[in-house]
Amino acid sequence: MRNSLDPAALDAAMENVHRAGMPGLFAEVRDGDQVWRGAAGVADVATGRPVTADMRHRVGSISKTFLAAAVLQQVEAGEIGLDAPVGRYLPKLVSGERGDAITVRMLINHTSGLAEYLPYAYPSLKAFPALADTGPQSLDDHRFTRFNPIELIEMGVTAPAVGAPGGAPGVYSNTNYLLLGQLLEQVTGATAEQYITRNIIERAGLRDTELPAGPYVDGPHSQLYEAWFGMIDPPRDYSVYDMSWVGPAASLISTVADLNRFYAMLLSGEIVSPSSLAQMQRTAPVISQEGKTIDYGLGLHPLQGPGQSTFWGHGGTVWGGGALAMSRADGKRQMAVAVNMQRWNRLDSSGKPQPHPIDNALEAFYRVAMYG
């Protein structure tokens, strides 16, 4: 296995993603003490302002690792039972037999059977996952909507279940993580955002990471271009957006450097104990929002190339933006990548996303970044 960083190969692979159609992307790759940072393309297609590797960025569901680690800290403190029923803590939100059957672990690893609330919160997404029957209109309508997390949870809990509690495969659902946010608040007396800020972000020394209260990204950042499978053409800038539609499940703003620092500390037992980390790395099969079956732990999932070492981390998307942060199990080789366009694949006649050159170019960049 080649471990040394190859700046020329990384630069070329990143430029290929931009040439394939991504407006802008930036990344940090680490190997021990070696660090490469790079950027390609533009942060604003109208002005041509370039992206830079130190930009702050909405990193979507990478937030879930932060929230899962926060819950596990409270498990370590004896305030939460990992295999205790969620109804013990939140009887008004998940009641009756379901409250007894669904455990905290099932929320964290998406095996609760609770449905995703997003198609109910966004009327034009009602037909999801039938993408051809969805539309982007409500993305615009809800740009400044202040959603109530309890109402979003109720949408997911009252929707038809997507599986039995603890059943396999699980189904990825933001409802689970909004419930975890309420659980954290119930046992600590602080909001999930306050707890995560104090006990994860500040403790880890992440100076450019925050859970925002308003719709803006402070500091240098890119515009975020949403294409919604070719239905928004040209893609629309959603960098200004109220993130209460996902709250602590996916609203985090960070930098690629902060993400690598966080995952290095997590994997070395500095955020949660080694035994909690071992729990986070116990996986179950889960159907992702893209409809693929993945292995998913407690706010972490593994990636492994054929015959290559295992990397742990998380990906995330918001309207217009995306990120992926993966670290080798020993924490020495790391990659964090941010992109400023989402859902670039147009749909074919059967309504399935068509392959796009960006997909192959990103995969090639990930390979170079992770394995050299």
Short mmCIF file of all heavy atoms in Angstrom, two decimals, residues 128-197:
data_model
loop_
_atom_site.label_atom_id
_atom_site.label_comp_id
_atom_site.label_asym_id
_atom_site.label_seq_id
_atom_site.Cartn_x
_atom_site.Cartn_y
_atom_site.Cartn_z
N PHE A 128 -41.43 10.89 -3.42
CA PHE A 128 -40.13 10.26 -3.17
C PHE A 128 -40.33 8.88 -2.54
O PHE A 128 -41.18 8.71 -1.69
CB PHE A 128 -39.31 11.17 -2.22
CG PHE A 128 -37.90 10.71 -2.01
CD1 PHE A 128 -36.90 11.09 -2.88
CD2 PHE A 128 -37.57 9.87 -0.95
CE1 PHE A 128 -35.60 10.66 -2.69
CE2 PHE A 128 -36.27 9.43 -0.75
CZ PHE A 128 -35.29 9.84 -1.64
N PRO A 129 -39.62 7.82 -2.98
CA PRO A 129 -38.43 7.83 -3.86
C PRO A 129 -38.69 7.75 -5.37
O PRO A 129 -37.77 7.49 -6.12
CB PRO A 129 -37.66 6.60 -3.37
CG PRO A 129 -38.72 5.65 -2.94
CD PRO A 129 -39.84 6.50 -2.39
N ALA A 130 -39.96 7.94 -5.82
CA ALA A 130 -40.24 7.96 -7.26
C ALA A 130 -39.81 9.34 -7.80
O ALA A 130 -40.62 10.27 -7.88
CB ALA A 130 -41.72 7.71 -7.52
N LEU A 131 -38.53 9.47 -8.15
CA LEU A 131 -37.95 10.78 -8.44
C LEU A 131 -38.64 11.52 -9.58
O LEU A 131 -38.81 12.74 -9.52
CB LEU A 131 -36.45 10.63 -8.76
CG LEU A 131 -35.60 10.10 -7.61
CD1 LEU A 131 -34.18 9.85 -8.10
CD2 LEU A 131 -35.61 11.07 -6.45
N ALA A 132 -39.07 10.78 -10.61
CA ALA A 132 -39.68 11.42 -11.77
C ALA A 132 -40.98 12.12 -11.40
O ALA A 132 -41.41 13.05 -12.10
CB ALA A 132 -39.93 10.40 -12.87
N ASP A 133 -41.60 11.70 -10.31
CA ASP A 133 -42.87 12.31 -9.89
C ASP A 133 -42.67 13.39 -8.83
O ASP A 133 -43.63 13.91 -8.27
CB ASP A 133 -43.81 11.23 -9.34
CG ASP A 133 -44.16 10.19 -10.40
OD1 ASP A 133 -44.28 10.59 -11.58
OD2 ASP A 133 -44.29 9.01 -10.06
N THR A 134 -41.41 13.70 -8.52
CA THR A 134 -41.12 14.79 -7.59
C THR A 134 -40.83 16.06 -8.38
O THR A 134 -40.66 16.02 -9.60
CB THR A 134 -39.91 14.48 -6.69
OG1 THR A 134 -38.74 14.41 -7.52
CG2 THR A 134 -40.10 13.18 -5.93
N GLY A 135 -40.76 17.17 -7.67
CA GLY A 135 -40.39 18.44 -8.29
C GLY A 135 -39.70 19.31 -7.27
O GLY A 135 -39.80 19.07 -6.07
N PRO A 136 -39.00 20.35 -7.73
CA PRO A 136 -38.21 21.16 -6.80
C PRO A 136 -38.95 22.36 -6.20
O PRO A 136 -38.36 23.11 -5.42
CB PRO A 136 -37.06 21.64 -7.70
CG PRO A 136 -37.69 21.76 -9.06
CD PRO A 136 -38.72 20.68 -9.14
N GLN A 137 -40.24 22.54 -6.53
CA GLN A 137 -40.91 23.79 -6.16
C GLN A 137 -40.83 24.08 -4.66
O GLN A 137 -40.55 25.21 -4.24
CB GLN A 137 -42.40 23.74 -6.56
CG GLN A 137 -42.65 23.53 -8.03
CD GLN A 137 -42.62 22.06 -8.45
OE1 GLN A 137 -42.12 21.20 -7.73
NE2 GLN A 137 -43.11 21.78 -9.64
N SER A 138 -41.07 23.08 -3.81
CA SER A 138 -41.13 23.36 -2.38
C SER A 138 -39.75 23.63 -1.78
O SER A 138 -39.65 24.17 -0.67
CB SER A 138 -41.85 22.23 -1.63
OG SER A 138 -41.32 20.98 -1.93
N LEU A 139 -38.67 23.29 -2.50
CA LEU A 139 -37.35 23.68 -2.02
C LEU A 139 -37.25 25.19 -1.95
O LEU A 139 -36.71 25.75 -1.01
CB LEU A 139 -36.26 23.12 -2.94
CG LEU A 139 -35.76 21.70 -2.67
CD1 LEU A 139 -36.85 20.67 -2.75
CD2 LEU A 139 -34.63 21.34 -3.64
N ASP A 140 -37.80 25.85 -2.98
CA ASP A 140 -37.84 27.31 -2.99
C ASP A 140 -38.81 27.85 -1.95
O ASP A 140 -38.50 28.80 -1.22
CB ASP A 140 -38.26 27.79 -4.38
CG ASP A 140 -37.26 28.75 -4.99
OD1 ASP A 140 -36.07 28.68 -4.60
OD2 ASP A 140 -37.66 29.56 -5.82
N ASP A 141 -39.98 27.22 -1.86
CA ASP A 141 -41.02 27.71 -0.94
C ASP A 141 -40.53 27.71 0.51
O ASP A 141 -40.95 28.55 1.30
CB ASP A 141 -42.27 26.82 -1.02
CG ASP A 141 -42.92 26.86 -2.40
OD1 ASP A 141 -42.64 27.82 -3.15
OD2 ASP A 141 -43.68 25.93 -2.72
N HIS A 142 -39.67 26.75 0.86
CA HIS A 142 -39.28 26.58 2.27
C HIS A 142 -37.89 27.15 2.60
O HIS A 142 -37.33 26.84 3.63
CB HIS A 142 -39.32 25.09 2.65
CG HIS A 142 -40.70 24.59 2.87
ND1 HIS A 142 -41.66 25.29 3.58
CD2 HIS A 142 -41.31 23.43 2.49
CE1 HIS A 142 -42.78 24.58 3.62
NE2 HIS A 142 -42.59 23.47 2.97
N ARG A 143 -37.38 28.01 1.72
CA ARG A 143 -36.05 28.55 1.93
C ARG A 143 -35.91 29.22 3.31
O ARG A 143 -34.88 29.09 3.97
CB ARG A 143 -35.73 29.57 0.84
CG ARG A 143 -34.30 30.04 0.83
CD ARG A 143 -34.14 31.22 -0.12
NE ARG A 143 -34.10 30.80 -1.51
CZ ARG A 143 -32.96 30.66 -2.20
NH1 ARG A 143 -31.81 30.85 -1.62
NH2 ARG A 143 -33.00 30.31 -3.47
N PHE A 144 -36.95 29.94 3.74
CA PHE A 144 -36.88 30.64 5.03
C PHE A 144 -37.89 30.10 6.05
O PHE A 144 -38.17 30.76 7.05
CB PHE A 144 -37.05 32.15 4.83
CG PHE A 144 -35.94 32.76 4.04
CD1 PHE A 144 -36.13 33.15 2.72
CD2 PHE A 144 -34.68 32.93 4.59
CE1 PHE A 144 -35.09 33.70 1.97
CE2 PHE A 144 -33.63 33.48 3.87
CZ PHE A 144 -33.84 33.87 2.55
N THR A 145 -38.42 28.91 5.81
CA THR A 145 -39.36 28.32 6.76
C THR A 145 -38.62 27.90 8.03
O THR A 145 -37.55 27.30 7.95
CB THR A 145 -40.05 27.08 6.14
OG1 THR A 145 -40.76 27.50 4.97
CG2 THR A 145 -41.01 26.43 7.12
N ARG A 146 -39.21 28.22 9.17
CA ARG A 146 -38.65 27.76 10.45
C ARG A 146 -39.46 26.56 10.90
O ARG A 146 -40.56 26.69 11.43
CB ARG A 146 -38.73 28.89 11.49
CG ARG A 146 -37.85 28.65 12.70
CD ARG A 146 -36.40 28.94 12.39
NE ARG A 146 -35.51 28.48 13.46
CZ ARG A 146 -34.27 28.08 13.27
NH1 ARG A 146 -33.76 28.06 12.07
NH2 ARG A 146 -33.53 27.69 14.27
N PHE A 147 -38.94 25.38 10.64
CA PHE A 147 -39.66 24.16 11.00
C PHE A 147 -39.53 23.87 12.50
O PHE A 147 -38.51 24.16 13.11
CB PHE A 147 -39.09 22.96 10.23
CG PHE A 147 -39.51 22.89 8.79
CD1 PHE A 147 -38.63 23.23 7.77
CD2 PHE A 147 -40.78 22.45 8.44
CE1 PHE A 147 -39.01 23.15 6.44
CE2 PHE A 147 -41.18 22.35 7.11
CZ PHE A 147 -40.29 22.71 6.10
N ASN A 148 -40.58 23.28 13.05
CA ASN A 148 -40.56 22.82 14.44
C ASN A 148 -40.15 21.35 14.44
O ASN A 148 -40.79 20.53 13.79
CB ASN A 148 -41.97 22.99 15.03
CG ASN A 148 -42.05 22.54 16.48
OD1 ASN A 148 -41.42 21.55 16.87
ND2 ASN A 148 -42.82 23.23 17.27
N PRO A 149 -39.07 20.98 15.15
CA PRO A 149 -38.60 19.59 15.10
C PRO A 149 -39.65 18.59 15.59
O PRO A 149 -39.72 17.48 15.07
CB PRO A 149 -37.37 19.59 16.02
CG PRO A 149 -37.49 20.81 16.86
CD PRO A 149 -38.24 21.81 16.05
N ILE A 150 -40.48 18.98 16.55
CA ILE A 150 -41.51 18.06 17.05
C ILE A 150 -42.52 17.75 15.94
O ILE A 150 -42.93 16.60 15.77
CB ILE A 150 -42.25 18.68 18.27
CG1 ILE A 150 -41.25 19.06 19.37
CG2 ILE A 150 -43.31 17.71 18.79
CD1 ILE A 150 -40.48 17.92 19.96
N GLU A 151 -42.88 18.77 15.16
CA GLU A 151 -43.82 18.55 14.04
C GLU A 151 -43.20 17.66 12.97
O GLU A 151 -43.87 16.80 12.39
CB GLU A 151 -44.26 19.89 13.46
CG GLU A 151 -45.15 20.69 14.41
CD GLU A 151 -45.47 22.08 13.89
OE1 GLU A 151 -45.07 22.40 12.74
OE2 GLU A 151 -46.12 22.85 14.63
N LEU A 152 -41.91 17.86 12.69
CA LEU A 152 -41.24 17.00 11.70
C LEU A 152 -41.19 15.56 12.19
O LEU A 152 -41.45 14.61 11.43
CB LEU A 152 -39.82 17.52 11.44
CG LEU A 152 -39.70 18.89 10.77
CD1 LEU A 152 -38.24 19.33 10.69
CD2 LEU A 152 -40.33 18.88 9.37
N ILE A 153 -40.86 15.38 13.47
CA ILE A 153 -40.83 14.03 14.05
C ILE A 153 -42.20 13.37 13.93
O ILE A 153 -42.31 12.20 13.54
CB ILE A 153 -40.37 14.08 15.52
CG1 ILE A 153 -38.87 14.39 15.59
CG2 ILE A 153 -40.66 12.76 16.24
CD1 ILE A 153 -38.37 14.78 16.97
N GLU A 154 -43.26 14.13 14.24
CA GLU A 154 -44.62 13.57 14.15
C GLU A 154 -44.94 13.10 12.74
O GLU A 154 -45.60 12.09 12.54
CB GLU A 154 -45.64 14.61 14.63
CG GLU A 154 -45.66 14.76 16.14
CD GLU A 154 -46.55 15.92 16.61
OE1 GLU A 154 -47.04 16.68 15.75
OE2 GLU A 154 -46.72 16.05 17.84
N MET A 155 -44.45 13.85 11.72
CA MET A 155 -44.67 13.43 10.33
C MET A 155 -44.05 12.07 10.08
O MET A 155 -44.64 11.20 9.43
CB MET A 155 -44.05 14.46 9.36
CG MET A 155 -44.74 15.80 9.33
SD MET A 155 -43.81 16.94 8.25
CE MET A 155 -44.62 18.49 8.64
N GLY A 156 -42.82 11.87 10.58
CA GLY A 156 -42.13 10.60 10.37
C GLY A 156 -42.73 9.46 11.18
O GLY A 156 -42.83 8.33 10.69
N VAL A 157 -43.15 9.76 12.41
CA VAL A 157 -43.68 8.71 13.29
C VAL A 157 -45.07 8.26 12.84
O VAL A 157 -45.41 7.08 12.93
CB VAL A 157 -43.70 9.21 14.76
CG1 VAL A 157 -44.44 8.23 15.66
CG2 VAL A 157 -42.27 9.40 15.27
N THR A 158 -45.88 9.21 12.33
CA THR A 158 -47.24 8.85 11.91
C THR A 158 -47.29 8.31 10.48
O THR A 158 -48.29 7.72 10.08
CB THR A 158 -48.19 10.06 12.02
OG1 THR A 158 -47.67 11.14 11.23
CG2 THR A 158 -48.33 10.51 13.47
N ALA A 159 -46.22 8.49 9.72
CA ALA A 159 -46.17 7.93 8.36
C ALA A 159 -46.10 6.41 8.45
O ALA A 159 -45.69 5.85 9.46
CB ALA A 159 -44.95 8.46 7.63
N PRO A 160 -46.51 5.69 7.37
CA PRO A 160 -46.40 4.23 7.39
C PRO A 160 -44.97 3.79 7.69
O PRO A 160 -44.02 4.34 7.13
CB PRO A 160 -46.81 3.82 5.97
CG PRO A 160 -47.66 4.95 5.49
CD PRO A 160 -47.12 6.19 6.12
N ALA A 161 -44.83 2.82 8.59
CA ALA A 161 -43.50 2.33 8.97
C ALA A 161 -42.80 1.73 7.75
O ALA A 161 -43.44 1.18 6.85
CB ALA A 161 -43.61 1.29 10.07
N VAL A 162 -41.48 1.84 7.72
CA VAL A 162 -40.70 1.28 6.61
C VAL A 162 -40.06 -0.05 6.99
O VAL A 162 -39.33 -0.64 6.21
CB VAL A 162 -39.62 2.28 6.13
CG1 VAL A 162 -40.27 3.49 5.49
CG2 VAL A 162 -38.70 2.71 7.28
N GLY A 163 -40.35 -0.52 8.20
CA GLY A 163 -39.83 -1.81 8.65
C GLY A 163 -40.17 -2.02 10.11
O GLY A 163 -40.67 -1.11 10.78
N ALA A 164 -39.92 -3.22 10.57
CA ALA A 164 -40.14 -3.53 11.99
C ALA A 164 -38.93 -3.06 12.80
O ALA A 164 -37.81 -3.08 12.30
CB ALA A 164 -40.33 -5.04 12.17
N PRO A 165 -39.15 -2.63 14.04
CA PRO A 165 -38.01 -2.21 14.87
C PRO A 165 -36.94 -3.31 14.96
O PRO A 165 -37.24 -4.45 15.28
CB PRO A 165 -38.65 -1.96 16.23
CG PRO A 165 -40.07 -1.59 15.92
CD PRO A 165 -40.43 -2.43 14.74
N GLY A 166 -35.72 -2.95 14.62
CA GLY A 166 -34.61 -3.90 14.65
C GLY A 166 -34.53 -4.80 13.44
O GLY A 166 -33.64 -5.65 13.35
N GLY A 167 -35.44 -4.61 12.47
CA GLY A 167 -35.45 -5.46 11.28
C GLY A 167 -34.30 -5.13 10.34
O GLY A 167 -33.69 -4.06 10.41
N ALA A 168 -33.99 -6.08 9.47
CA ALA A 168 -32.92 -5.89 8.49
C ALA A 168 -33.46 -6.08 7.08
O ALA A 168 -34.26 -6.97 6.85
CB ALA A 168 -31.79 -6.88 8.75
N PRO A 169 -33.04 -5.24 6.11
CA PRO A 169 -32.20 -4.07 6.36
C PRO A 169 -32.99 -2.92 6.96
O PRO A 169 -34.21 -2.86 6.82
CB PRO A 169 -31.72 -3.71 4.94
CG PRO A 169 -32.83 -4.15 4.04
CD PRO A 169 -33.41 -5.39 4.68
N GLY A 170 -32.26 -2.05 7.67
CA GLY A 170 -32.88 -0.82 8.14
C GLY A 170 -33.05 0.15 6.98
O GLY A 170 -32.62 -0.12 5.85
N VAL A 171 -33.70 1.28 7.23
CA VAL A 171 -33.89 2.30 6.21
C VAL A 171 -33.46 3.65 6.79
O VAL A 171 -33.95 4.06 7.84
CB VAL A 171 -35.37 2.37 5.74
CG1 VAL A 171 -35.54 3.49 4.71
CG2 VAL A 171 -35.80 1.03 5.14
N TYR A 172 -32.54 4.30 6.10
CA TYR A 172 -31.98 5.59 6.53
C TYR A 172 -33.10 6.61 6.66
O TYR A 172 -33.90 6.79 5.75
CB TYR A 172 -30.96 6.04 5.50
CG TYR A 172 -30.10 7.22 5.87
CD1 TYR A 172 -28.83 7.02 6.39
CD2 TYR A 172 -30.54 8.52 5.67
CE1 TYR A 172 -28.01 8.10 6.71
CE2 TYR A 172 -29.72 9.60 5.98
CZ TYR A 172 -28.47 9.38 6.50
OH TYR A 172 -27.66 10.44 6.82
N SER A 173 -33.16 7.30 7.80
CA SER A 173 -34.25 8.25 8.05
C SER A 173 -33.80 9.36 8.99
O SER A 173 -33.32 9.09 10.09
CB SER A 173 -35.45 7.50 8.64
OG SER A 173 -36.40 8.40 9.16
N ASN A 174 -34.00 10.61 8.55
CA ASN A 174 -33.67 11.75 9.41
C ASN A 174 -34.55 11.82 10.64
O ASN A 174 -34.18 12.46 11.63
CB ASN A 174 -33.77 13.04 8.60
CG ASN A 174 -32.57 13.25 7.70
OD1 ASN A 174 -31.46 13.46 8.15
ND2 ASN A 174 -32.81 13.15 6.40
N THR A 175 -35.72 11.18 10.59
CA THR A 175 -36.61 11.14 11.76
C THR A 175 -35.87 10.59 12.98
O THR A 175 -36.01 11.08 14.10
CB THR A 175 -37.87 10.29 11.46
OG1 THR A 175 -38.49 10.79 10.26
CG2 THR A 175 -38.86 10.34 12.60
N ASN A 176 -35.06 9.55 12.75
CA ASN A 176 -34.29 8.94 13.84
C ASN A 176 -33.40 9.96 14.54
O ASN A 176 -33.32 10.00 15.77
CB ASN A 176 -33.40 7.81 13.29
CG ASN A 176 -34.19 6.64 12.77
OD1 ASN A 176 -35.14 6.21 13.39
ND2 ASN A 176 -33.81 6.15 11.59
N TYR A 177 -32.74 10.79 13.75
CA TYR A 177 -31.76 11.71 14.33
C TYR A 177 -32.40 12.95 14.94
O TYR A 177 -31.86 13.53 15.89
CB TYR A 177 -30.66 12.03 13.30
CG TYR A 177 -29.58 10.97 13.36
CD1 TYR A 177 -29.80 9.68 12.88
CD2 TYR A 177 -28.35 11.22 13.96
CE1 TYR A 177 -28.83 8.69 12.98
CE2 TYR A 177 -27.37 10.24 14.06
CZ TYR A 177 -27.62 8.98 13.57
OH TYR A 177 -26.66 8.00 13.68
N LEU A 178 -33.56 13.37 14.43
CA LEU A 178 -34.26 14.44 15.13
C LEU A 178 -34.73 13.94 16.49
O LEU A 178 -34.70 14.69 17.48
CB LEU A 178 -35.46 14.94 14.31
CG LEU A 178 -35.14 15.81 13.09
CD1 LEU A 178 -36.41 16.52 12.61
CD2 LEU A 178 -34.06 16.85 13.38
N LEU A 179 -35.13 12.68 16.57
CA LEU A 179 -35.48 12.09 17.88
C LEU A 179 -34.27 12.05 18.81
O LEU A 179 -34.39 12.34 20.01
CB LEU A 179 -36.05 10.68 17.69
CG LEU A 179 -37.54 10.62 17.34
CD1 LEU A 179 -37.91 9.26 16.76
CD2 LEU A 179 -38.41 10.94 18.55
N LEU A 180 -33.11 11.73 18.28
CA LEU A 180 -31.89 11.72 19.10
C LEU A 180 -31.58 13.13 19.62
O LEU A 180 -31.12 13.29 20.76
CB LEU A 180 -30.70 11.19 18.30
CG LEU A 180 -30.76 9.70 17.96
CD1 LEU A 180 -29.67 9.34 16.96
CD2 LEU A 180 -30.63 8.83 19.22
N GLY A 181 -31.86 14.14 18.81
CA GLY A 181 -31.68 15.51 19.27
C GLY A 181 -32.59 15.83 20.45
O GLY A 181 -32.16 16.45 21.43
N GLN A 182 -33.83 15.36 20.38
CA GLN A 182 -34.77 15.56 21.49
C GLN A 182 -34.36 14.75 22.71
O GLN A 182 -34.49 15.21 23.84
CB GLN A 182 -36.19 15.17 21.05
CG GLN A 182 -36.77 16.07 19.97
CD GLN A 182 -36.85 17.53 20.41
OE1 GLN A 182 -37.39 17.85 21.47
NE2 GLN A 182 -36.30 18.42 19.59
N LEU A 183 -33.82 13.55 22.48
CA LEU A 183 -33.34 12.71 23.58
C LEU A 183 -32.20 13.40 24.33
O LEU A 183 -32.17 13.44 25.57
CB LEU A 183 -32.88 11.36 23.02
CG LEU A 183 -32.14 10.41 23.97
CD1 LEU A 183 -33.03 10.00 25.13
CD2 LEU A 183 -31.64 9.18 23.21
N LEU A 184 -31.27 13.95 23.57
CA LEU A 184 -30.14 14.65 24.18
C LEU A 184 -30.63 15.82 25.04
O LEU A 184 -30.16 16.04 26.15
CB LEU A 184 -29.20 15.13 23.07
CG LEU A 184 -27.73 15.31 23.38
CD1 LEU A 184 -27.11 14.08 24.01
CD2 LEU A 184 -26.98 15.70 22.11
N GLU A 185 -31.61 16.55 24.50
CA GLU A 185 -32.16 17.68 25.24
C GLU A 185 -32.86 17.21 26.52
O GLU A 185 -32.73 17.83 27.58
CB GLU A 185 -33.12 18.47 24.35
CG GLU A 185 -33.66 19.72 25.01
CD GLU A 185 -34.42 20.62 24.04
OE1 GLU A 185 -34.26 20.49 22.81
OE2 GLU A 185 -35.18 21.47 24.54
N GLN A 186 -33.57 16.10 26.41
CA GLN A 186 -34.31 15.56 27.56
C GLN A 186 -33.38 15.21 28.72
O GLN A 186 -33.67 15.50 29.87
CB GLN A 186 -35.09 14.32 27.11
CG GLN A 186 -35.88 13.60 28.20
CD GLN A 186 -37.12 14.38 28.60
OE1 GLN A 186 -37.69 15.11 27.80
NE2 GLN A 186 -37.54 14.23 29.85
N VAL A 187 -32.23 14.59 28.40
CA VAL A 187 -31.36 14.11 29.48
C VAL A 187 -30.33 15.15 29.95
O VAL A 187 -29.83 15.04 31.06
CB VAL A 187 -30.65 12.78 29.11
CG1 VAL A 187 -31.66 11.69 28.81
CG2 VAL A 187 -29.68 12.97 27.97
N THR A 188 -30.02 16.15 29.11
CA THR A 188 -28.98 17.12 29.50
C THR A 188 -29.55 18.47 29.90
O THR A 188 -28.85 19.26 30.55
CB THR A 188 -27.98 17.36 28.35
OG1 THR A 188 -28.64 18.01 27.27
CG2 THR A 188 -27.36 16.05 27.88
N GLY A 189 -30.79 18.77 29.46
CA GLY A 189 -31.35 20.08 29.74
C GLY A 189 -30.86 21.16 28.80
O GLY A 189 -31.30 22.30 28.87
N ALA A 190 -29.95 20.81 27.90
CA ALA A 190 -29.47 21.73 26.87
C ALA A 190 -29.99 21.27 25.52
O ALA A 190 -30.28 20.08 25.34
CB ALA A 190 -27.94 21.75 26.85
N THR A 191 -30.14 22.19 24.57
CA THR A 191 -30.52 21.74 23.22
C THR A 191 -29.37 20.90 22.66
O THR A 191 -28.22 21.00 23.11
CB THR A 191 -30.76 22.93 22.27
OG1 THR A 191 -29.52 23.63 22.07
CG2 THR A 191 -31.81 23.88 22.83
N ALA A 192 -29.70 20.07 21.66
CA ALA A 192 -28.66 19.25 21.03
C ALA A 192 -27.55 20.14 20.48
O ALA A 192 -26.36 19.82 20.61
CB ALA A 192 -29.27 18.41 19.92
N GLU A 193 -27.94 21.28 19.89
CA GLU A 193 -26.94 22.20 19.33
C GLU A 193 -26.01 22.71 20.42
O GLU A 193 -24.79 22.78 20.22
CB GLU A 193 -27.64 23.37 18.62
CG GLU A 193 -28.32 22.99 17.31
CD GLU A 193 -29.72 22.41 17.47
OE1 GLU A 193 -30.18 22.20 18.61
OE2 GLU A 193 -30.35 22.15 16.43
N GLN A 194 -26.58 23.09 21.58
CA GLN A 194 -25.75 23.60 22.68
C GLN A 194 -24.82 22.51 23.21
O GLN A 194 -23.63 22.75 23.44
CB GLN A 194 -26.64 24.11 23.81
CG GLN A 194 -27.39 25.39 23.50
CD GLN A 194 -28.49 25.67 24.51
OE1 GLN A 194 -29.02 24.77 25.16
NE2 GLN A 194 -28.86 26.94 24.64
N TYR A 195 -25.36 21.31 23.39
CA TYR A 195 -24.55 20.22 23.94
C TYR A 195 -23.40 19.86 22.99
O TYR A 195 -22.25 19.71 23.41
CB TYR A 195 -25.41 18.98 24.21
CG TYR A 195 -24.60 17.86 24.82
CD1 TYR A 195 -24.47 17.73 26.20
CD2 TYR A 195 -23.90 16.96 24.01
CE1 TYR A 195 -23.67 16.74 26.76
CE2 TYR A 195 -23.10 15.97 24.54
CZ TYR A 195 -23.00 15.86 25.92
OH TYR A 195 -22.20 14.89 26.47
N ILE A 196 -23.73 19.71 21.69
CA ILE A 196 -22.70 19.34 20.70
C ILE A 196 -21.64 20.42 20.60
O ILE A 196 -20.44 20.14 20.51
CB ILE A 196 -23.35 19.05 19.33
CG1 ILE A 196 -24.18 17.77 19.40
CG2 ILE A 196 -22.29 18.94 18.23
CD1 ILE A 196 -25.11 17.57 18.21
N THR A 197 -22.06 21.69 20.65
CA THR A 197 -21.10 22.79 20.57
C THR A 197 -20.11 22.72 21.74
O THR A 197 -18.89 22.82 21.55
CB THR A 197 -21.84 24.14 20.58
OG1 THR A 197 -22.70 24.19 19.44
CG2 THR A 197 -20.86 25.30 20.52
#
